[in-house]
Amino acid sequence: MFVAWPLYVVHAVLTGISMFIAALFHWTAGFNFSAGLIDFILSLRVPIANQPYMLLVLGLVMAVVYYFTFDFVIKKFNMMTPGREEGGEGEEDPDLSSADEKFAYLAGRIYQGLGKDNLKTVDNCTTRLRLTVENSDLVNQAAIKATGVPGVRVLDKKNVQVIVGTEVQFVADELKKIQQTGEVPDPIVETAKEVVHSETKAITQEIFAVATGKVMPITEVPDQVFSAQMMGDGFVILPTKEEVFAPLSGKITNIFPTKHAMGIQTESGLEVLLHMGLDTVELKGEPFNLAVSEGQVLKKGDKIADMDLQKIKAAGKGTEIIVAFTNAERLENIDLTKTGNVIANLVIGQVTSK
């Protein structure tokens, strides 16, 4: 809807047409609660149901109409739906032989995309570069997106955010170096150096509620970056108690200096971001009392932290705890089997790696 809103208008029109046709021929079903398949079957005996099978026929016809209409509109008006953004394919990155070179190269391309001498200040939160520029009109969003970052947000004439992921701190450090020296490093390619990749295997493991509270899909979190799944799929819990526990088994790879977020890597190579609260990076770690450290191996029931919910609310921040699987290329499937009110450490689903 937010990426190509005219398609939502087309959707509304087509929905209205389908409902008009159903009303014209008096095709009705006696839905009771969910309007799903089971409800449809149960409703066939309800007196108000009239030729309910025709609704299935209408649905199939409208599916074809939807497909060709959307296909025509997207291509005719060049709608920038996901995968069709300008510069979306990008150029092939060089074979960088170390993590430092990768971050330096990414920072260099972002710096160039921001415009010559346009960058003023560099800051970051858990997943985003928060940049102040002289003039955001000079920012080449397509060039920055071509680096492979999940997204770019121009907030106003002076502020730009680049969504990088859990490695944002390293990119920010390299960007600050470039800003200080004014020199964009060329990528260093060391073909003679052998790079050893660890082999991982596909594993399905259980996901646990990180706190007592209400479980929701990540699409319902009131933060556009997370709800649009720019950081990956996952879930969110609105906690009612202050204790926070491990969402799954894995190793803590990094803890953000302000204590509000950390990265976890599973045995199968999935990278998980645990983010406590919304915009709580601004609270400098005060509401959080960590019970873990970097490098620690987590298992079910391990306590991660205590959150001072009242202090977070008093600061005007959201208390939502977000769990996002950030390396989508390794994520096969996430099945959230439990939503609504839960207690901490309850199994709420499972995740499978590729």
Side-chain angles (χ1 to χ4, degrees), residues 19 21 29 31:
M19 295 181 69
I21 294 173
F31 287 127

Side-chain angles (χ1 to χ4, degrees), residues 198-205 233 265-271 325-334 350-354:
S198 60
E199 294 185 2
T200 56
K201 57 182 179 179
I203 293 177
T204 297
Q205 61 184 116
D233 200 358
Q265 186 172 50
T266 70
E267 181 183 350
S268 61
L270 284 177
E271 296 174 358
F325 297 87
T326 58
N327 55 340
E329 71 278 3
R330 296 304 309 275
L331 181 63
E332 177 70 29
N333 179 57
I334 176 172
Q350 59 184 17
V351 62
T352 304
S353 64
K354 291 182 180 178

Side-chain angles (χ1 to χ4, degrees), residues 124-126 165-174 176 256-257:
N124 66 281
C125 63
T126 316
T166 54
E167 297 175 331
V168 65
Q169 183 67 59
F170 305 108
V171 180
D173 291 342
E174 294 295 335
K176 290 175 182 177
F256 205 73

Side-chain angles (χ1 to χ4, degrees), residues 66-306:
Y66 260 79
Y67 175 82
F68 287 104
T69 303
F70 271 50
D71 183 69
F72 171 78
V73 173
I74 290 171
K75 293 179 179 178
K76 176 68 175 178
F77 299 101
N78 194 27
M79 296 287 181
M80 291 295 103
T81 52
R84 303 186 75 252
E85 301 93 339
E86 295 179 4
E89 295 182 0
E91 59 188 67
E92 186 176 351
D93 288 339
D95 182 17
L96 303 178
S97 59
S98 73
D100 288 342
E101 292 168 10
K102 179 183 74 171
F103 299 135
Y105 176 69
L106 178 57
R109 292 185 63 187
I110 292 174
Y111 182 81
Q112 292 173 330
L114 292 171
K116 182 176 177 59
D117 299 325
N118 195 30
L119 179 63
K120 295 303 177 184
T121 64
V122 179
D123 197 2
N124 66 281
C125 63
T126 316
T127 59
R128 300 171 234 185
L129 291 171
R130 298 173 182 256
L131 311 173
T132 302
V133 295
E134 186 67 32
N135 184 358
S136 63
D137 291 337
L138 301 178
V139 176
N140 187 338
Q141 295 188 51
I144 297 176
K145 288 180 181 178
T147 64
V149 297
V152 179
R153 298 181 65 196
V154 176
L155 304 181
D156 51 43
K157 287 291 185 180
K158 298 291 184 181
N159 294 283
V160 177
Q161 293 184 357
V162 180
I163 299 132
V164 176
T166 54
E167 297 175 331
V168 65
Q169 183 67 59
F170 305 108
V171 180
D173 291 342
E174 294 295 335
L175 199 54
K176 290 175 182 177
K177 292 179 184 178
I178 296 173
Q179 185 186 23
Q180 292 172 356
T181 63
E183 298 178 358
V184 180
D186 293 327
I188 303 172
V189 182
E190 298 183 15
T191 56
K193 183 180 291 186
E194 181 181 359
V195 180
V196 179
H197 300 280
S198 60
E199 294 185 2
T200 56
K201 57 182 179 179
I203 293 177
T204 297
Q205 61 184 116
E206 294 178 322
I207 306 172
F208 303 96
V210 296
T212 297
K214 183 180 180 181
V215 178
M216 300 174 288
I218 199 169
T219 52
E220 296 185 21
V221 66
D223 182 293
Q224 186 178 358
V225 171
F226 286 109
S227 63
Q229 299 183 343
M230 293 183 184
M231 294 309 305
D233 200 358
F235 62 94
V236 59
I237 289 186
L238 186 61
T240 56
K241 293 187 177 181
E242 298 189 342
E243 290 183 308
V244 182
F245 298 88
L248 74 181
S249 300
K251 181 179 180 180
I252 299 177
T253 55
N254 65 295
I255 296 177
F256 205 73
T258 48
K259 303 179 184 179
H260 73 293
M262 64 185 64
I264 303 170
Q265 186 172 50
T266 70
E267 181 183 350
S268 61
L270 284 177
E271 296 174 358
V272 185
L273 171 65
L274 176 69
H275 194 288
M276 295 178 284
L278 300 179
D279 291 327
T280 45
V281 63
E282 300 172 5
L283 304 183
K284 308 299 182 183
E286 292 184 7
F288 308 105
N289 183 20
L290 298 184
V292 293
S293 58
E294 286 190 11
Q296 182 173 333
V297 176
L298 299 173
K299 59 183 183 299
K300 173 189 175 182
D302 284 349
K303 183 176 177 179
I304 287 179
D306 286 309

Side-chain angles (χ1 to χ4, degrees), residues 15-55:
T15 299
I17 292 174
S18 64
M19 295 181 69
F20 171 77
I21 294 173
L24 182 66
F25 291 98
H26 302 290
W27 297 335
T28 58
F31 287 127
N32 292 305
F33 53 96
S34 69
L37 177 60
I38 295 177
D39 194 12
F40 178 78
I41 295 173
L42 294 176
S43 70
L44 297 180
R45 295 181 178 273
V46 176
I48 64 172
N50 181 52
Q51 294 182 286
Y53 296 108
M54 291 304 298
L55 294 176

